[in-house]
Amino acid sequence: MPAGQPILELQEITKAFGGVEALRGVDFALSPGEIHGLVGENGAGKSTLMKIIAGVHADFSGRFILDGKETRFRSVRDAHAAGIAMVHQELSVAPDLSVAENVFLGNQPTNRLGFVQWRRMAREAGEQLKRFGIDVDPMSRLGDLPIGLQQLIEIARVLFSGARIIILDEPTSALSPPEVERLFATLKRLRDEGTSIVFISHFIEDILRVSDVVTVFRNGRKVAETRAAETSKPALIEAMIGKGREALEETYTHDIMLPPPAERPVVLNASSLSLARSLRDVSFDVRAGEVLGIYGFMGCGQLELARILFGKLRPDQGTLAVAGDQKTFRSTADARRAGIAFVPESRRDMLFHQEPVYKNISISVLDRISSLLLKPSREREIAMRQVDQLRIRPAAVELDLGMLSGGNQQKVALAKWLSYPPRLLVLCEPTRGMDVGAKDDVIHIVRDLRAKGLAVIVLSTEPETVLSLADRVIVLKRGAVVREFANERISKDRLLEAA
Amino acid sequence: MTTGDSATVAADRKRPHRLAAILRSQMRNIAPFLTLICLFSFFAVASPSFATLDNFGNILTQISVTGIIAVGLTFVILCAEIDLSIAAIANVTGIAVAYFTLQESYVNIANVPMPGWAAILLALALCALLGLVNAFGLTVIGIPSFIMTLAMMQIAAGISALLVRGQIAYKVPPLVTTLGSTSIGGIPWIVIVAALMLLGGHLVLTYTRFGRYVYMVGGNREAAEYSGLNVKLILGSVMVISAVCAGIGGMLGVAHFGSAQQNEFDTYLLDSIAAVVVGGTSLFGGRGGIGNTIVGLFVLGVLNNGLDHVNIDSFLKILIRGLILLAALIINVYAQRLRERTAE
């Protein structure tokens, strides 16, 4: 650790949500001019601790010492005033405002009368973004840009806000490798200029590459703190989950042999799907008992493709056939009736947080088990079976979904469709933001489904996810299929190369 | 499994707080009920004529029309939509049923007399049709319900105006007269109808698949869509249900008041919305129900009736009513926040 006094020191921090302790007596120190990596499984307390630092959570117990003086933030505004800024996991930009307005959100340059100085704002925003390697018209509408670029702009806003402590929560999940490179270069430059940076990520390679110090969280406690140069990925993973795992190795194998295609019936055939600005002439099919991986960087058209498959978007051109029958989905209800199930990339969009677990699971089968009147005991029974099978914890179907941890919520999102059971399961980013243990569980669930003869489509921007699940992979680039991998050796490098 | 263990630990730790958590999550239901008890106690002490059986009957009768309209509105608000056309649809339906009934010769309306059953069916068809137009605008065209029903409010008022042309009609079909203005065994029929409709609404919301879908669509519309529910069909249905409930309330209301005329139901829009929301049904959807609406109806009924029993400036009463409603709404929003914090 660089010599001298830490800029920020937290002692014995404890924080509970509705009786559930998220942090238990955590100490944390941040030195000036350091990049501090945080790792830990979902629900380990990383984000909670960072939200305390950023003033989001004001009620906690413990000592909060900034510049050697004990303080207490009452709001995000207080944290900003003290030079602390955070990029949250979820994108929080104003899509209808210009790029420049987003960069200067909340502190536009004004003249003495309080009028916004548009020209100055556009010029400065353009310069800042260029320093970060982004070349866009500062006056264009932000929402028109690809998602990855929007995320970079949001990061840029915080990086150049002049904050001396910057917290980044999973900043790289939507970025392409070259964008990650640029981000890391910028982070290192800011560090050398004296800024302190906290970097949270599930990509342990990223953490090891960019951090000076790494802290590991488990179950609301800090379990390790080491210099990045003195540790390794296996050591960190072991600290995170508390034990070594073999399945882990399997997940991260770098060279995988794809199996030869099976002679099973085609469940879904997509032919020449096109959608304005997103997809061009995409064709593929997927067979029973097969997992088709669709890989591409953020903004390659995956999200739109998945939504077309589930009837949420309608293609401008092209056709879908389910088990040989041409289908036009006018609504998601049509797609479900055809036997298609869909899990979007964000759990928030998929689940009912204020409803008990069993209602979340039974919703997909309600029309099968009840014509008019509900049968709550049957619903609970069905839910309980899924909870057992998927090892959802706590195993209480009456509990509100919001009380579950993120990984368990993701399992509920799957459970809801498993009781259905569909012919084709479309999974978007099934392991995004998940800890290693939960990822492993999801991989096993998908393999079980494949063994039962389901067709599965996995869409992901994470090569590991596709590699660990798929029997066959197609790569999307700017809305078009550029490569198909089948019955051959495949690796992360070859995937990235194709995309 | 690590995640499993930690979650179980978390559940164990939560146990001592469970009662508090339940209380907090039930705040939405408890607060309106406490409001009701406070108001009732206050008026009972303040006025000797308030807490009598007779007056209780008055209150029931006074909240009946609002109650009938509020049944449908509860469905709409549970879906996180709003229907501003209910009062106007009630009005036009009441006028329509009178329009199709033979009026006395001194009533100067070009009405089209028909048998009672036909008049009732036509009036019901009219309100259902207006509800369908609301549903079409909301789901197919995609106009926000706030705007769509604002337009419908004007359209329904326009039809009313055209039908009565500033006149007043008095006659409605015998069945409507019976249900609206007579009693059986000392209990007004209109109270029975309101009670049955509230009960029916409660049963549909609690025990049917459609009811579950209403809560799911209101709780998280995106998730409902990604679960393969036909969200548009559900939203459309609640708009029609709302219009039909308003129509029934309007027909019985006309019989109850003894006349059908323009702008007769204007106050019922705010009263119905207030009853639903004061009762604790969330304007953001997914939380609440008919039980809440019933409590809300009584809060409003006791307040309106009680203020007539105490000796205060009648012009001040309007202000007092507004302030008490505001207080109830503040409690509603606060309860919502408490719950969200628990769910976090």
Side-chain angles (χ1 to χ4, degrees):
Chain A
M1 212 174 287
Q5 200 189 8
I7 185 169
L8 172 75
E9 204 176 347
L10 303 177
Q11 294 173 355
E12 284 292 312
I13 300 292
T14 297
K15 162 86 188 159
F17 294 104
V20 182
E21 277 191 336
L23 289 174
R24 307 176 206 171
V26 170
D27 295 334
F28 180 80
L30 187 63
S31 304
E34 125 181 318
I35 300 182
H36 198 128
L38 289 192
V39 294
E41 297 192 273
N42 288 314
K46 299 163 293 187
S47 296
T48 308
L49 185 68
M50 290 309 116
K51 284 180 178 167
I52 285 175
I53 295 177
V56 177
H57 298 314
D59 53 331
F60 59 91
S61 65
R63 277 156 58 87
F64 188 112
I65 301 157
L66 185 67
D67 298 324
K69 275 180 298 201
E70 181 156 1
T71 42
R72 200 98 194 192
F73 295 147
R74 274 158 306 161
S75 67
V76 178
R77 192 177 273 265
D78 286 356
H80 273 248
I84 299 177
M86 176 164 180
V87 179
H88 292 272
Q89 213 167 341
E90 296 86 18
L91 202 62
S92 58
V93 292
D96 286 319
L97 296 186
S98 68
V99 170
E101 283 171 292
N102 270 285
V103 171
F104 282 97
L105 209 59
N107 58 353
Q108 291 109 320
T110 51
N111 65 17
R112 232 172 291 157
L113 292 173
F115 288 101
V116 173
Q117 294 171 301
W118 283 94
R119 220 170 302 160
R120 189 179 138 204
M121 185 164 82
R123 195 184 60 236
E124 287 182 8
E127 281 166 9
Q128 286 188 0
L129 292 176
K130 212 162 280 164
R131 273 218 290 160
F132 196 30
I134 304 173
D135 197 9
V136 290
D137 174 11
M139 293 318 284
S140 59
R141 184 176 164 272
L142 187 80
D144 293 336
L145 303 176
I147 297 280
L149 205 48
Q150 293 186 30
Q151 184 168 22
L152 273 178
I153 289 168
E154 181 177 8
I155 294 172
R157 172 178 91 210
V158 173
L159 293 187
F160 298 113
S161 63
R164 56 203 183 109
I165 297 178
I166 293 171
I167 302 165
L168 301 162
D169 194 351
E170 293 286 352
T172 58
S173 55
L175 301 184
S176 66
E179 288 166 341
V180 172
E181 291 309 312
R182 284 207 296 268
L183 172 64
F184 285 180
T186 311
L187 290 184
K188 285 179 176 156
R189 200 180 63 235
L190 284 169
R191 171 195 61 193
D192 295 342
E193 290 166 5
T195 308
S196 303
I197 296 166
V198 181
F199 186 87
I200 303 180
S201 180
H202 281 104
F203 297 105
I204 295 171
E205 293 96 338
D206 288 354
I207 292 269
L208 287 173
R209 269 189 54 208
V210 76
S211 313
D212 302 310
V213 180
V214 184
T215 293
V216 184
F217 280 81
R218 185 165 82 225
N219 281 346
R221 292 182 205 280
K222 183 166 104 177
V223 290
E225 178 172 342
T226 56
R227 297 200 56 82
E230 291 157 12
T231 187
S232 65
K233 186 172 167 183
L236 284 180
I237 291 178
E238 186 146 349
M240 270 169 67
I241 64 179
K243 56 188 165 185
R245 297 192 74 133
E246 290 145 35
L248 210 69
E249 296 304 318
E250 202 181 339
T251 313
Y252 284 92
T253 307
H254 286 290
D255 202 5
I256 287 170
M257 183 67 205
L258 294 174
E263 277 309 310
R264 311 272 305 255
V266 171
V267 173
L268 177 100
N269 171 268
S271 130
S272 302
L273 294 176
S274 295
L275 185 73
R277 298 166 55 118
S278 308
L279 291 174
R280 276 180 293 125
D281 201 24
V282 173
S283 303
F284 59 88
D285 50 23
V286 56
R287 292 166 184 275
E290 178 185 52
V291 181
L292 173 69
I294 299 183
Y295 172 76
F297 294 141
M298 203 70 191
C300 70
Q302 283 175 333
L303 300 184
E304 291 79 7
L305 177 60
R307 278 157 181 73
I308 287 173
L309 297 181
F310 195 56
K312 169 87 173 162
L313 285 177
R314 258 194 271 180
D316 299 333
Q317 272 162 37
T319 53
L320 287 174
V322 179
D325 296 334
Q326 287 270 347
K327 298 273 181 188
T328 311
F329 297 145
R330 276 189 311 275
S331 68
T332 56
D334 284 351
R336 187 173 70 102
R337 229 167 282 132
I340 298 177
F342 176 72
V343 180
E345 61 285 351
S346 136
R347 289 187 290 268
R348 191 180 296 255
D349 297 340
M350 178 68 191
L351 297 168
F352 304 91
H353 288 252
Q354 297 198 338
E355 300 286 352
V357 169
Y358 83 88
K359 289 189 186 176
N360 272 285
I361 294 179
S362 67
I363 183 153
S364 64
V365 287
L366 271 189
D367 53 351
R368 295 223 182 136
I369 61 173
S370 68
S371 51
L372 176 69
L373 295 182
L374 294 169
K375 300 195 177 84
S377 55
R378 182 112 172 70
E379 285 179 48
R380 287 193 186 90
E381 199 183 297
I382 289 171
M384 205 56 226
R385 201 157 56 221
Q386 296 300 338
V387 163
D388 283 346
Q389 238 166 51
L390 303 190
R391 289 180 297 158
I392 294 168
R393 296 290 177 270
V397 294
E398 299 289 341
L399 211 60
D400 278 0
L401 181 93
M403 309 290 274
L404 267 55
S405 74
N408 280 298
Q409 290 185 13
Q410 180 85 3
K411 286 196 214 165
V412 172
L414 275 169
K416 131 188 206 174
W417 288 120
L418 300 193
S419 38
Y420 178 51
R423 277 194 272 199
L424 169 68
L425 180 61
V426 179
L427 292 172
C428 296
E429 301 291 358
T431 58
R432 174 185 293 171
M434 282 189 136
D435 58 67
V436 188
K439 263 186 189 170
D440 202 46
D441 284 343
V442 167
I443 289 169
H444 280 111
I445 293 167
V446 172
R447 290 194 180 146
D448 280 356
L449 294 175
R450 178 182 59 183
K452 283 181 191 152
L454 241 75
V456 182
I457 298 180
V458 172
L459 301 99
S460 181
T461 53
E462 295 172 9
E464 289 87 354
T465 306
V466 174
L467 289 176
S468 58
L469 287 169
D471 300 318
R472 197 153 57 84
V473 181
I474 61 177
V475 179
L476 274 185
K477 187 175 185 178
R478 293 201 185 87
V481 178
V482 290
R483 178 82 160 83
E484 178 170 348
F485 293 95
N487 194 17
E488 61 187 299
R489 297 201 82 79
I490 185 174
S491 64
K492 189 171 166 181
D493 298 348
R494 295 186 63 193
L495 258 189
L496 288 173
E497 216 176 83
Chain B
M1 210 180 71
T2 318
T3 39
D5 291 347
S6 66
T8 327
V9 171
D12 285 344
R13 277 170 180 279
K14 211 170 44 211
R15 227 149 259 159
H17 302 275
R18 188 158 279 177
L19 185 68
I22 289 173
L23 273 182
R24 239 175 303 170
S25 66
Q26 289 300 313
M27 200 60 190
R28 155 175 313 287
N29 301 323
I30 297 166
F33 204 70
L34 287 181
T35 312
L36 177 60
I37 291 173
C38 289
L39 282 176
F40 192 89
S41 317
F42 171 77
F43 288 122
V45 172
S47 157
S49 57
F50 176 76
T52 61
L53 208 56
D54 268 2
N55 192 46
F56 189 64
N58 286 340
I59 293 177
L60 283 180
T61 315
Q62 284 161 6
I63 61 177
S64 290
V65 174
T66 317
I68 294 169
I69 298 175
V71 173
L73 186 66
T74 306
F75 281 75
V76 175
I77 292 185
L78 278 176
C79 281
E81 296 291 346
I82 191 73
D83 188 345
L84 299 179
S85 62
I86 38 177
I89 289 180
N91 202 359
V92 74
T93 313
I95 285 174
V97 84
Y99 184 81
F100 294 122
T101 308
L102 183 64
Q103 300 293 327
E104 304 287 352
S105 55
Y106 59 82
V107 175
N108 202 9
I109 292 176
N111 68 329
V112 184
M114 285 195 189
W117 60 267
I120 294 173
L121 280 185
L122 275 172
L124 281 176
L126 174 66
C127 62
L129 178 73
L130 296 181
L132 269 176
V133 175
N134 275 339
F136 183 82
L138 172 65
T139 61
V140 181
I141 306 179
I143 309 171
S145 57
F146 186 87
I147 308 294
M148 181 62 221
T149 58
L150 198 64
M152 178 52 67
M153 180 166 132
Q154 203 61 35
I155 292 168
I159 300 173
S160 303
L162 280 173
L163 290 179
V164 289
R165 296 189 168 269
Q167 303 294 309
I168 300 175
Y170 300 95
K171 281 272 196 192
V172 288
L175 175 64
V176 178
T177 313
T178 308
L179 292 181
S181 58
T182 64
S183 300
I184 177 167
I187 304 172
W189 269 111
I190 195 165
V191 173
I192 297 173
V193 172
L196 286 177
M197 287 189 60
L198 285 163
L199 179 67
H202 176 70
L203 294 179
V204 168
L205 280 175
T206 318
Y207 296 106
T208 70
R209 189 151 61 89
F210 175 72
R212 171 72 62 77
Y213 287 166
V214 166
Y215 278 100
M216 291 308 206
V217 168
N220 186 346
R221 186 166 301 177
E222 193 109 60
E225 197 166 5
Y226 285 137
S227 303
L229 300 194
N230 198 335
V231 173
K232 288 183 173 177
L233 184 67
I234 294 157
L235 288 178
S237 311
V238 300
M239 296 316 285
V240 174
I241 291 173
S242 173
V244 171
C245 288
I248 295 172
M251 280 195 274
L252 299 195
V254 162
H256 187 65
F257 307 140
S259 68
Q261 55 186 305
Q262 188 77 38
N263 299 341
E264 196 168 25
F265 287 84
D266 286 1
T267 59
Y268 284 83
L269 172 60
L270 280 181
D271 274 7
S272 309
I273 295 177
V276 174
V277 178
V278 165
T281 295
S282 167
L283 278 168
F284 306 105
R287 289 274 134 199
I290 296 290
N292 296 80
T293 300
I294 293 174
V295 175
L297 283 166
F298 274 104
V299 169
L300 244 72
V302 165
L303 185 57
N304 287 344
N305 175 288
L307 284 173
D308 291 337
H309 283 262
V310 292
N311 193 16
I312 46 169
D313 181 353
S314 60
F315 295 104
L316 186 61
K317 281 177 189 167
I318 303 171
L319 180 61
I320 291 177
R321 216 182 129 221
L323 290 177
I324 293 177
L325 287 182
L326 177 64
L329 289 177
I330 290 171
I331 294 172
N332 181 332
V333 172
Y334 187 63
Q336 170 85 16
R337 236 176 259 159
L338 265 183
R339 190 182 160 90
E340 273 166 10
R341 217 167 291 160
T342 333
E344 217 171 280

